[in-house]
Amino acid sequence: MGDGSSVVAGTGHGTHWTSDVTSTGRNLYGVHLFPDEEGWIVGDGGTILTSRSGGRWTPQRSGTSANLYSVSPAGRDTAWAVGRGGTVLATSDAGTTWRRQESPSGKDLLEVHVRPDARTAWAVGDRGTILVTGDGGATWTHQKPPRTDCILWAVDFADDRTGWAVGTGGAIFATEDGGASWHAQDSGGVDDLIDVHAVDPHSVWAVGHRGTIVSTVDGGGTWERRDSGTRQNFTAVHFDAHGRVGRVVGRSDTALVSYDSGATWQVTTTGTGMSLWNVRVLTQSRAWIVGDEGTVISTHDGGRTWTPHLYSPEKDAGSRRAARPA
C-alpha cells in the first residue's frame, strides 16, 4: 500500500504485481486540457488539480471547501471554476492564486464556459440559472431562461454569440445573441440532459439519462436521437477539434466512442469500475477522463488501454501525518 491510495497484489512469490484496489480520493467532476495535456481538474471539497505538460497532477489552493463542478480556461493563465452555492472562482496566474468572485446567485452552479477573450463567460445551474459576465467576472448578471422549473446541467458556446444550455426534462435552451435572449428547442424527449458540446454553430451534441444521445446539424432546428446501445446514464460528451472522434462517459464505468462523427457508437469500458463524470478528447488516440474517488485516467492508444494517474488528496493538500514506523 502506498501513495495515491494505491494497493497492489503479488503472485509467484512477488515476481508479478498487479493493481487490485482503486483510488479512494475525492470525486472529480470537471476537466479541461490543452492539446499538450496541460490543464485543470476540479472536484469535491474545493479540489483543484493542475498538470503541466502531462506531468504529475498537483493540488492548488482554491480557498473554498465548496464542491467545484466545472472549470473552463480562457488561456494558459486564466480560468474560472464554479460550484456549490453559487461559488465562482477565477485565476489569472495559472492557478497560483484563485480568488472568489461575487455571484448574484446562491444556487448551485454546475458548469461554466469561458470565451478566449478572457472577459466573457456563462455559468448555469439550479432553477434554470444562467449567469453572464462581460468584464472578466468583475460583475456577473442574470440572463432570463425560457423556464425556471429545471436544473441546467451544462452550457457550451460555438462562438461569441451562439450557445446552448441543457438540463432536466430534456430541456435545451439556445441563444444566437450571446444570451440577450434564450429560447427553448425541442429535444424530442423528456430524459434529463446532463452535458452538451458544440462542435460548431450547426453541429451540437447532448447526452443524458437512460442512454440518451441527441444531435443537431442545423443549429437546433431539429434534434435527432442516436442509438447508444445502452440504457446507462451518461454524464459527458466531447469531440475532437474536427468533430470526427467523439467520446461519451457515464455511470458505472460506462464509456462510448465514435470514429465517424457520431454516426455510430461503440460501448466500451475503462476498467476503473467507477462512475465517470467528464471527458476531454484531444486527438483520435488521446483522451482524458475523470470520475469518482479520485479517478484520473488517460489513453494514448485510442482507448485500448487506460493509464491511471494517482495522487494523494490529503498528502498533496498539505496534510503532514507522521510516517508509519518500520
Side-chain angles (χ1 to χ4, degrees):
M1 303 178 68
D3 276 357
S5 306
S6 57
V7 181
V8 294
T11 59
H13 302 287
T15 58
H16 179 66
W17 292 86
T18 57
S19 178
D20 234 24
V21 181
T22 52
S23 171
T24 56
R26 291 173 173 173
N27 295 346
L28 303 173
Y29 303 116
V31 58
H32 189 103
L33 290 167
F34 296 105
D36 61 359
E37 299 184 332
E38 291 187 359
W40 284 278
I41 292 171
V42 298
D44 277 347
T47 298
I48 300 180
L49 307 174
T50 188
S51 176
R52 297 295 157 175
S53 300
R56 175 179 170 82
W57 287 94
T58 57
Q60 294 183 327
R61 293 184 179 276
S62 66
T64 182
S65 60
N67 292 350
L68 300 175
Y69 300 124
S70 173
V71 61
S72 180
R76 304 285 174 166
D77 297 327
T78 307
W80 275 261
V82 298
R84 179 73 59 83
T87 299
V88 179
L89 304 178
T91 181
S92 57
D93 55 13
T96 301
T97 56
W98 287 86
R99 64 190 186 280
R100 188 155 187 159
Q101 295 186 332
E102 185 175 351
S103 168
S105 175
K107 296 180 175 63
D108 291 353
L109 299 176
L110 301 174
E111 189 159 68
V112 60
H113 174 85
V114 180
R115 298 303 299 162
D117 64 5
R119 296 182 60 80
T120 309
W122 292 263
V124 300
D126 283 352
R127 302 297 299 175
T129 298
I130 304 176
L131 304 181
V132 65
T133 181
D135 54 15
T139 57
W140 287 84
T141 58
H142 285 275
Q143 291 186 326
K144 186 177 180 180
R147 307 191 338 251
T148 59
D149 61 345
C150 64
I151 299 170
L152 293 179
W153 280 97
V155 61
D156 199 24
F157 273 70
D159 53 39
D160 292 341
R161 298 180 62 81
T162 312
W164 289 262
V166 300
T168 53
I172 299 180
F173 301 160
T175 180
E176 297 170 356
D177 53 16
S181 61
W182 290 85
H183 57 274
Q185 294 182 336
D186 184 3
S187 67
V190 295
D191 290 314
D192 293 351
L193 297 175
I194 307 301
D195 197 27
V196 61
H197 176 61
V199 177
D200 57 47
H202 308 288
S203 178
V204 188
W205 292 83
V207 300
H209 287 180
R210 298 199 298 178
T212 298
I213 301 178
V214 294
S215 67
T216 180
V217 294
D218 58 8
T222 55
W223 288 86
E224 177 183 357
R225 183 156 185 153
R226 303 284 183 162
D227 181 14
S228 67
T230 178
R231 298 287 284 177
Q232 284 285 1
N233 291 344
F234 297 143
T235 56
V237 57
H238 193 255
F239 279 77
D240 68 358
H242 305 291
R244 178 72 178 172
V245 180
R247 292 187 180 274
V248 172
V249 297
R251 298 278 190 165
S252 304
D253 196 20
T254 301
L256 277 65
V257 64
S258 174
Y259 294 107
D260 54 13
S261 300
T264 59
W265 293 88
Q266 305 168 34
V267 180
T268 66
T269 182
T270 67
T272 63
M274 295 293 176
S275 288
L276 308 173
W277 288 104
N278 216 317
V279 59
R280 299 296 296 187
V281 180
L282 302 181
T283 66
Q284 178 172 333
S285 59
R286 294 188 298 137
W288 286 73
I289 295 173
V290 299
D292 276 358
E293 297 192 21
T295 296
V296 182
I297 56 175
S298 67
T299 182
H300 281 207
D301 58 14
R304 288 190 297 274
T305 59
W306 291 91
T307 300
H309 300 267
L310 300 177
Y311 70 99
S312 175
E314 287 139 7
K315 179 178 177 182
D316 289 349
S319 175
R320 295 293 181 261
R321 292 175 296 178
R324 182 183 295 273

